[in-house]
Amino acid sequence: MKRIVLTGGGTAGHVMPNLALLPKLQDKGWEVSYIGSYDGMERELIEEQKIPYYPVATGKFRRYLSGQNLTDPFRVIKGLVQSYHLLKKLRPQVIFSKGGFVAVPVTIGARLNQIPVVLHESDLTPGLANRLALPFASAVCATFPETLKHLPKEKSFLTGNPIRPELLAGSKAKGLALCGFTTDKPVLLVMGGSLGSVAINRMIRAILPDLLLKFQVAHICGQGNIDQNLTGYKGYKQFAFIGPELPHIMAAADLCVSRAGANFLFELLALKKPHLLTPLPKSASRGDQILNAQSFKGQNFSMVLYEEEINEAILKKQIETLYENRQDYIKAMSESNLTDAATEIIRVIEQTAIQA
């Protein structure tokens, strides 16, 4: 039996690609286990898939002053010891790491057990956890072409970012029904990330009367961000969060305004949805979304509007321009060769396992 351990956690971006790979790995005969943190979001998401889940201690490598900087190194050491013994017991042929700080002790534990590791980096520049794990990896999969210059040439592969196969099976009719929409006007999907974007929410609502003259608007605004005054507004549907219904909402959408997290970018690419990106500013992130957006813009996949440039009039104009030029973006996305990332990543995984 071929055995693989998946790891990664802390954010959706460190878990969803693993979920996207899971059915393909199982179809190819791999027995899959998962190593994650005790209380991270990955635990619930993975346990729902009915695969063995093994928690280990983890800490965060902060680059700012915090009292936890004194205790977290001991958690990392504990996680390393736990990972070493777990992997010695599980004896997988290969580890696939999606990053996040839980993956660092797992990756080092794998090296100590002489088990090869395949890393995957979603963003254009490697995050701190993957930079720490990189020396212990046998292969690294990159999402963006520009990422390759930051990685060792001899063990790097351009694969793209895997997406969940269920996203490709959405029903437009079901999506329209979920929103209470008709086929009379195109649908604009607004996504502010898992926590929503206060700035985008506010501006979309400010220009809503104008938008509704041309579009129907499905707005995923984040937990606690529903505007009760707009509930039941004709042609406008608010969601705090969308789970299993997302493939249908995506199928119904004709264009999208969103943040620029790598996972969602590659979902938009695979579905060929014209989109306007508003990346998180550097004041709220390490700047990875800005680089992601610039890459997609450079490949003619996206329009980009930076948060410091946005006002209501500009946002309205950019949405209208996006819709007018939508076929140009659809054509560019259709010509991309980065839409079957799962197959490419599994090829790297199997090649690495054979060579070990």
Side-chain angles (χ1 to χ4, degrees):
M1 172 66 75
K2 299 184 295 183
R3 297 186 182 93
I4 183 171
V5 167
L6 308 180
T7 189
T11 69
H14 295 133
V15 185
M16 293 305 179
N18 279 329
L19 292 177
L21 291 177
L22 182 58
K24 283 183 174 283
L25 287 168
Q26 292 172 327
D27 287 346
K28 285 182 166 286
W30 286 90
E31 180 183 287
V32 183
S33 301
Y34 203 101
I35 299 179
S37 62
Y38 282 99
D39 53 6
M41 67 182 302
E42 67 272 15
R43 184 165 194 166
E44 181 179 353
L45 290 169
I46 295 301
E47 287 181 342
E48 287 176 357
Q49 304 301 312
K50 310 299 183 188
I51 64 171
Y53 184 91
Y54 301 94
V56 298
T58 184
K60 184 175 182 180
F61 298 88
R62 296 172 183 84
R63 287 167 285 189
Y64 53 87
L65 292 176
S66 169
Q68 289 178 292
N69 288 343
L70 299 175
T71 57
D72 275 8
F74 297 100
R75 293 192 183 97
V76 174
I77 293 170
K78 181 180 179 181
L80 172 57
V81 173
Q82 290 174 315
S83 297
Y84 172 79
H85 289 294
L86 260 176
L87 294 172
K88 193 174 187 66
K89 175 183 174 183
L90 295 172
R91 297 310 305 175
Q93 277 80 43
V94 65
I95 308 288
F96 179 74
S97 171
K98 195 53 211 67
F101 292 110
V102 70
V104 176
V106 178
T107 303
I108 299 172
R111 170 59 70 88
L112 294 174
N113 277 291
Q114 297 184 314
I115 300 168
V117 176
V118 177
L119 296 183
H120 183 271
E121 177 54 56
S122 288
D123 290 315
L124 194 141
T125 59
L128 178 58
N130 267 352
R131 294 204 303 273
L132 292 170
L134 188 59
F136 307 100
S138 299
V140 189
C141 298
T143 293
F144 295 92
E146 298 93 333
T147 310
L148 294 174
K149 67 184 179 184
H150 300 283
L151 301 172
K153 184 177 180 180
E154 69 278 3
K155 61 180 181 181
S156 301
F157 303 86
L158 179 62
T159 61
N161 205 60
I163 68 164
R164 294 163 287 166
E166 60 266 28
L167 281 174
L168 302 174
S171 163
K172 180 173 184 175
K174 289 182 180 179
L176 293 174
L178 285 165
C179 296
F181 291 168
T182 70
T183 58
D184 296 339
K185 292 180 182 177
V187 174
L188 167 65
L189 173 61
V190 180
M191 293 272 288
S194 58
L195 299 178
S197 165
V198 173
I200 294 174
N201 289 348
R202 177 180 55 78
M203 280 187 276
I204 286 291
R205 288 164 176 159
I207 63 175
L208 190 58
D210 289 332
L211 289 177
L212 292 178
L213 295 175
K214 297 182 179 181
F215 305 101
Q216 300 168 102
V217 181
H219 188 178
I220 304 174
C221 51
Q223 296 289 352
N225 294 323
I226 295 287
D227 187 335
Q228 298 297 339
N229 295 323
L230 297 175
T231 301
Y233 211 87
K234 184 177 173 59
Y236 178 64
K237 179 67 175 179
Q238 301 175 85
F239 300 90
F241 174 79
I242 296 181
E245 303 89 357
L246 182 60
H248 306 310
I249 304 295
M250 294 282 287
D254 296 284
L255 66 162
C256 183
V257 174
S258 82
R259 288 301 195 187
N263 285 335
F264 195 60
L265 287 191
F266 277 81
E267 291 170 357
L268 291 169
L269 175 60
L271 294 169
K272 301 174 183 61
K273 298 293 180 180
H275 51 274
L276 170 63
L277 301 178
T278 59
L280 274 172
K282 283 190 175 180
S283 60
S285 72
R286 69 182 180 92
D288 49 299
Q289 287 202 9
I290 294 173
L291 296 175
N292 295 349
Q294 289 172 343
S295 176
F296 261 43
K297 181 179 180 181
Q299 296 174 79
N300 299 316
F301 300 157
S302 313
M303 288 180 64
V304 177
L305 185 58
Y306 301 105
E307 190 154 313
E308 58 270 21
E309 300 173 349
I310 299 178
N311 61 41
E312 294 159 10
I314 290 174
L315 180 59
K316 174 177 174 289
K317 178 62 177 176
Q318 292 287 78
I319 290 171
E320 291 172 347
T321 301
L322 174 66
Y323 186 67
E324 290 167 4
N325 298 319
R326 63 192 183 280
Q327 292 302 329
D328 294 337
Y329 295 102
I330 292 171
K331 181 176 183 294
M333 288 186 284
S334 298
E335 294 171 352
S336 169
N337 60 356
L338 293 177
T339 55
D340 191 15
T343 297
E344 282 299 300
I345 291 171
I346 290 174
R347 182 186 64 78
V348 175
I349 288 171
E350 294 186 327
Q351 177 179 312
T352 302
I354 291 170
Q355 293 175 347

